[in-house]
Amino acid sequence: MSLILNQEVAAYQEKGYHLHKKPLFSKEKQAKLNEIFEEQLAQKGSKLSDELDTPHFRDERLLEFLLSDEVLDLVEPFIGPNIALWSSHFICKDPFVGRATPWHEDSAYWKNRVDGFDQIITVWLAMDRSNQENGCMRVIPGTHRNGFSEYEDVDGTTNTFNTQIKQVDESQAVYFELEPGECSLHDSRIIHGAAANTSPYRRCGYTMRYFSTNIKVLQETDHRGEEFKIWLARGKDLAGNKYANVK
């Protein structure tokens, strides 16, 4: 049974995002995920707290969550029944020093890695309370239909990466305020970002990214040249992709 109404799908197609203001997982399952995150954070070494990319490559316990019916039932109405796991990322903005996330489109960083962007979706699960005070995510509605934007360089020491979109009208921004366990969903093409966390409260989220299997993955390595694995999460492959969980 779908968790999402037809009008919510229509609104997502128009605006490029959806807010799921209810717990994604049971309390017990969320507590287990929180435990794994705290382990990852403790083991990160010299990495910053916002740099825990593809943690499921290192810790396959996360696949229990990434390939779960709770998440896939939420995603399916938006991208269809044939779903692959693209990536995941713990994004933690520490109190007072959490870096800003510049305005960007996720898909702009995946050029030449896939042959289409119109059915890639990110689930952003709040591990902590996320609000304007501690730098919650914000989006510019409807910008997923505009094509790639023009970028400029920014300081990578105060931002989570070193480029940002030029001339964004921040007055149009919608802020994704979420309680722990709630989540948002956004199209990979939408313009989004987050202010720095200057508050005394940590702001951590777990991003889970999925794509329709009619999209062909063109490169099996990431931007560092390292092997990049994808998983068939639900349904069947439609593009001839190679999956970590399919022989």
Side-chain angles (χ1 to χ4, degrees):
M1 181 177 173
S2 175
L3 302 171
I4 302 298
L5 303 173
N6 289 339
Q7 57 263 41
E8 291 174 318
V9 174
Y12 174 87
Q13 290 169 346
E14 178 188 348
K15 296 178 181 178
Y17 71 89
H18 174 72
L19 292 178
H20 187 71
K21 300 279 284 181
K22 56 189 76 169
L24 181 58
F25 297 120
S26 68
K27 284 185 179 179
E28 296 74 21
K29 199 165 182 176
Q30 184 66 46
K32 188 175 177 182
L33 179 59
N34 291 352
E35 204 172 286
I36 294 171
F37 163 69
E38 295 295 347
E39 280 182 36
Q40 293 266 336
L41 199 60
Q43 295 167 6
K44 68 182 175 59
S46 61
K47 285 187 174 182
L48 295 173
S49 298
D50 56 26
E51 294 180 327
L52 296 176
D53 198 12
T54 55
H56 61 288
F57 285 13
R58 302 181 295 275
D59 190 338
E60 292 198 352
R61 289 179 298 170
L62 290 167
L63 294 174
E64 175 190 346
F65 304 90
L66 293 165
L67 304 179
S68 69
D69 284 338
E70 292 97 322
V71 180
L72 299 177
D73 287 348
L74 191 58
V75 166
E76 182 171 326
F78 298 108
I79 66 169
N82 301 301
I83 303 169
L85 169 64
W86 173 245
S87 66
S88 79
H89 190 175
F90 282 124
I91 304 176
C92 186
K93 293 184 184 292
D94 290 323
F96 302 115
V97 296
R99 298 186 295 175
T101 302
W103 290 109
H104 68 288
E105 303 133 333
D106 293 336
S107 52
Y109 295 92
W110 303 333
K111 289 178 182 177
N112 305 317
R113 290 185 64 191
V114 291
D115 70 355
F117 302 101
D118 61 333
Q119 289 178 294
I120 306 178
I121 193 169
T122 296
V123 179
W124 198 101
L125 174 64
M127 308 290 284
D128 303 319
R129 177 176 288 114
S130 183
N131 53 35
Q132 289 191 53
E133 184 182 6
N134 64 1
C136 67
M137 199 203 321
R138 52 186 179 173
V139 304
I140 308 297
T143 51
H144 60 301
R145 299 192 298 265
N146 293 354
F148 290 127
S149 301
E150 190 178 348
Y151 284 73
E152 61 187 359
D153 293 338
V154 291
D155 184 355
T157 61
T158 56
N159 292 279
T160 52
F161 34 84
N162 55 15
T163 58
Q164 71 177 5
I165 294 172
K166 290 182 176 181
Q167 297 175 329
V168 173
D169 181 1
E170 296 191 3
S171 70
Q172 300 299 310
V174 172
Y175 290 80
F176 287 2
E177 297 199 312
L178 299 167
E179 293 298 312
E182 298 177 348
C183 66
S184 61
L185 298 90
H186 68 267
D187 188 295
S188 75
R189 301 166 296 175
I190 198 170
I191 293 174
H192 64 291
N197 182 8
T198 57
S199 81
Y201 307 106
R202 191 183 75 170
R203 193 228 72 177
C204 176
Y206 187 35
T207 65
M208 302 175 274
R209 306 185 195 280
Y210 302 88
F211 66 98
S212 170
T213 66
N214 60 11
I215 293 173
K216 175 69 174 173
V217 177
L218 304 174
Q219 292 181 7
E220 293 176 3
T221 56
D222 63 16
H223 63 282
R224 298 177 293 263
E226 297 174 3
E227 180 188 13
F228 191 85
K229 296 180 287 186
I230 59 172
W231 276 256
L232 183 61
R234 176 175 284 182
K236 60 186 179 182
D237 173 65
L238 299 175
N241 290 314
K242 175 185 172 185
Y243 299 98
N245 59 335
V246 178
K247 300 295 184 184

